[in-house]
């Protein structure tokens, strides 16, 4: 597409220097702060599930090992503190990849804590032990089992069976030296009686994390808060050390809202996947979660490589980025509308890239590795065309600008850059012939 990146160092055409530089934040009244939730008092972490739950999407491709290693590096770059490397029991390749990724984390001295997943089955845990021995570094084991009455009815399980299988598997893993997180599938639709029995069993066997799963995206923010608070009270009543994690899906479009609600209610760690990929409509999107945590002031890590991370997730899993996806979508920071473009150009002249970033966006593009872009199209005005031409060192006389604008307005979609340049060249040749 034809476009112009408004870079911080780039001066807009035909603007004067000397205008007062005003911090854009001082010009914004933020209603979000009127009834804003308090900053979470507890330190919290983030675990990236892209290489486990993310690749369970029916539309995802299992990335090559090279792509997985590059993704791990980018997870480190955006400040994620843990990564689920997959399920070693799934296949020989899955085991080999977990071992290779573990070795990479060690060799590169990354601060990421590696984790893996397994069913509450001893043979699954034995594969995890193999991965630890071959990879040469500890792995946190996320061992999962279905919990809700609905799941029990479908599977023909009893609560006694679930408690016994959980105790047996967790006890074995802990004795083998593994740190264990206990994952109850469909937690958000499980009764307190079921969860009380299973959680006390897991903590008693040495599990140190309880993962609350909104497996089918059933929860609302109110439900997420209630579940997290109830679980924290249960842990406190046992006297056992334990932390709470939240794992959310996006079936009702509430993945982000639920994650933030869980965090404000006391969750110690949030799970998410790049671009929100995963089963059905996917998981909480790690990139959108980080974006909002940063804008809330709850996350201080540099996120200038966040767009690189989402692009790599898209490339590695062969999942296209929706054009309107927050932050990373093609349309996130571009406009072809005349009145918007004119205002952006003025903002660039008066306050630089930071003011332009805030004028028609709630997200400061530069802070997250993106930039504002101006297009020429059927909704454009002369400001779009003039700026587009001048920034490329091309003539921008009135006749040419009017010709390009009239041509663009006759189209049903935004033209490509080479198409606009062809109009410019045709105009030049016609003037030469006339001269």
């Amino acid at each position: 597409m034809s476009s112009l990146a408004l870079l911080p160092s780039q001066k807009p055409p035909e603007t004067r220097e000397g205008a007062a530089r005003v911090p854009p934040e001082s010009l914004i009244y933020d209603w979000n702060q009127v009834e804003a939730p308090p900053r979470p008092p507890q330190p919290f972490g983030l675990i990236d599930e892209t290489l486990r739950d993310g690749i369970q999407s029916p539309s995802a491709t299992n990335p090559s090992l090279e792509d997985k290693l590059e993704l791990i590096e980018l997870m480190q770059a955006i400040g994620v503190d843990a990564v689920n490397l997959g399920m070693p029991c799934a296949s020989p390749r899955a085991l080999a990849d977990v071992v290779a990724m573990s070795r990479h984390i060690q060799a590169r001295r990354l601060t990421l804590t590696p984790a893996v997943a397994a069913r509450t089955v001893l043979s699954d845990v034995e594969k995890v032990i193999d991965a630890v021995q071959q990879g040469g570094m500890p792995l946190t084991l996320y061992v999962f089992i279905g919990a809700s009455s609905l799941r029990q009815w479908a599977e023909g399980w009893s609560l006694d069976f679930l408690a016994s299988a959980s105790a047996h598997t967790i006890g074995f893993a802990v004795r083998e030296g593994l740190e264990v997180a206990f994952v109850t599938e469909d937690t958000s639709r499980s009764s307190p009686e079921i969860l009380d029995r299973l959680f006390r069993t897991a903590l008693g066997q040495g599990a140190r994390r309880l993962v609350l799963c909104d497996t089918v995206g059933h929860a609302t923010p109110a439900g997420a808060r209630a579940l997290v608070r109830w679980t924290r009270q249960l842990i406190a009543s046992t006297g056992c050390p334990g932390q709470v994690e939240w794992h959310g899906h996006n079936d009702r479009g509430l993945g982000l809202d639920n994650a933030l609600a869980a965090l404000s209610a006391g969750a110690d760690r949030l799970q998410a996947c790049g671009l929100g990929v995963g089963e059905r409509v996917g998981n909480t999107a790690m990139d959108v979660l980080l974006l909002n945590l940063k804008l809330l002031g709850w996350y201080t890590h540099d996120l200038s490589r966040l767009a690189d991370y989402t692009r790599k997730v898209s490339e590695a899993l062969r999942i296209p980025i929706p054009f309107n996806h927050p932050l990373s979508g093609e349309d996130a920071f571009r406009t072809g509308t005349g009145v918007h473009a004119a205002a952006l150009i003025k903002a660039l002249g008066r306050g630089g890239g930071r003011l332009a970033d805030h004028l028609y966006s709630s997200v400061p593009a530069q802070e997250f590795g993106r930039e504002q872009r101006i297009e020429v199209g059927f909704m454009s005005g002369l400001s779009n065309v003039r700026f587009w031409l001048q920034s490329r060192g091309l003539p921008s006389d009135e006749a040419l600008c009017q010709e390009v604008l009239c041509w663009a307005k006759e189209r049903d979609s935004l033209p490509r850059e080479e198409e606009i340049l062809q109009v410019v060249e045709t105009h030049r040749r016609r003037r030469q012939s006339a001269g």
Side-chain angles (χ1 to χ4, degrees):
M1 294 293 184
S2 57
S3 59
L4 173 64
L6 303 182
L7 303 177
S9 59
Q10 184 182 24
K11 295 178 183 179
E14 299 179 357
T15 57
R16 294 182 300 171
E17 293 296 326
R21 302 284 173 157
V22 178
E25 294 84 357
S26 68
L27 303 174
I28 298 171
Y29 183 83
D30 192 355
W31 282 93
N32 294 337
Q33 298 302 317
V34 174
E35 296 184 10
R39 182 187 181 95
Q42 77 282 1
F44 65 89
L46 299 165
I47 179 167
D48 196 303
E49 286 270 312
T50 307
L51 297 177
R52 200 277 303 174
D53 202 351
I55 63 175
Q56 289 179 203
S57 165
S59 297
T61 295
N62 188 9
S64 67
L65 177 58
E66 181 182 4
D67 281 337
K68 288 179 179 179
L69 297 181
E70 188 173 345
L71 274 171
I72 287 173
E73 295 280 352
L74 286 166
M75 291 172 193
Q76 170 91 10
I78 61 176
V80 170
D81 62 294
V83 53
N84 196 317
L85 304 178
M87 295 182 65
C89 63
S91 68
R93 180 194 164 185
L95 173 58
D97 281 2
V98 168
V99 170
M101 287 185 280
S102 297
R103 290 173 177 169
H104 181 83
I105 290 171
Q106 288 184 93
R108 295 281 294 164
R109 297 185 178 180
L110 304 182
T111 58
L112 287 167
T113 299
V116 291
R119 298 168 297 174
T120 48
V121 177
L122 292 187
S123 59
D124 282 17
V125 179
E126 288 168 350
K127 290 294 184 182
V128 174
I129 295 168
D130 289 344
V132 171
Q133 292 172 345
Q134 294 176 39
M137 76 176 303
L139 295 170
T140 302
L141 170 62
Y142 281 71
V143 61
F144 61 88
I145 195 166
S148 65
S149 295
L150 185 63
R151 182 68 183 278
Q152 290 181 49
W153 183 83
E155 299 280 1
W157 294 337
S158 68
L159 183 54
D160 286 342
F161 166 77
L162 297 181
S164 175
S166 299
H168 192 46
T169 306
I170 294 169
F172 172 71
V174 170
R175 289 192 297 274
E176 291 294 326
L178 296 174
E179 179 182 333
V180 177
F182 182 53
V183 183
T184 45
E185 290 184 338
D186 211 12
T187 324
S188 60
R189 298 193 298 178
S190 299
S191 69
E193 293 75 21
I194 292 172
L195 297 179
D196 185 283
R197 173 85 179 275
L198 295 179
F199 287 171
R200 289 182 187 277
T201 297
L203 293 169
Q205 291 295 323
R208 291 298 171 255
R209 291 181 177 275
L210 300 179
V211 183
L212 312 180
C213 293
D214 187 27
T215 305
V216 298
H218 165 78
T220 65
R225 283 190 293 268
L227 182 54
V228 170
R229 289 169 179 158
W230 181 88
T231 305
R232 288 185 66 89
Q233 291 171 359
L234 179 141
I235 293 173
S237 73
T238 67
C240 297
Q243 292 192 321
V244 178
E245 291 194 20
W246 176 261
H247 175 94
H249 282 254
N250 202 40
D251 297 68
R252 294 172 66 173
L254 295 173
L256 172 64
D257 302 291
N258 289 338
L260 295 176
L263 184 59
S264 67
D268 300 289
R269 181 182 277 174
L270 302 176
Q271 300 188 1
C273 296
L275 293 175
V277 294
E279 296 269 8
R280 301 177 314 282
V281 301
N283 295 260
T284 304
M286 177 64 80
D287 46 309
V288 182
L289 176 61
L290 285 173
L291 167 68
N292 280 276
L293 290 173
K294 185 75 169 182
L295 295 178
L296 283 167
W298 297 356
Y299 193 77
T300 59
H301 198 279
D302 173 38
L303 290 179
S304 59
R305 300 207 62 193
L306 187 56
D308 293 336
Y309 162 81
T310 54
R311 282 192 287 266
K312 187 61 189 180
V313 170
S314 174
E315 173 192 328
L317 277 64
R318 299 183 187 175
I319 297 286
I321 301 174
F323 71 90
N324 60 345
H325 190 73
L327 180 65
S328 300
E330 186 179 6
D331 286 359
F333 299 105
R334 68 177 188 153
T335 182
T337 305
V339 63
H340 291 184
L344 282 172
I345 292 166
K346 292 173 185 176
L348 187 67
R350 299 195 64 178
R354 292 190 68 245
L355 181 56
D357 257 358
H358 284 77
L359 192 64
Y360 273 107
S361 177
S362 64
V363 178
Q366 297 171 32
E367 189 172 343
F368 298 95
R370 294 296 306 273
E371 50 197 30
Q372 300 291 336
R373 306 186 73 85
I374 289 178
E375 309 282 7
V376 173
F378 56 87
M379 292 291 289
S380 295
L382 282 174
S383 294
N384 301 59
V385 179
R386 188 174 294 111
F387 194 75
W388 195 95
L389 294 170
Q390 290 180 351
S391 65
R392 288 161 173 76
L394 298 170
S396 58
D397 57 89
E398 185 71 13
L400 175 59
C401 288
Q402 288 286 359
E403 182 172 340
V404 171
L405 182 62
C406 290
W407 170 83
K409 284 185 175 294
E410 292 175 354
R411 299 176 58 90
D412 295 329
S413 59
L414 294 181
R416 299 188 303 274
E417 179 168 350
E418 57 267 27
E419 292 177 309
I420 299 178
L421 292 175
Q422 183 59 51
V423 175
V424 173
E425 177 61 18
T426 300
H427 178 87
R428 183 190 68 81
R429 289 177 179 175
R430 189 168 57 250
R431 291 189 64 174
Q432 272 188 338
S433 298

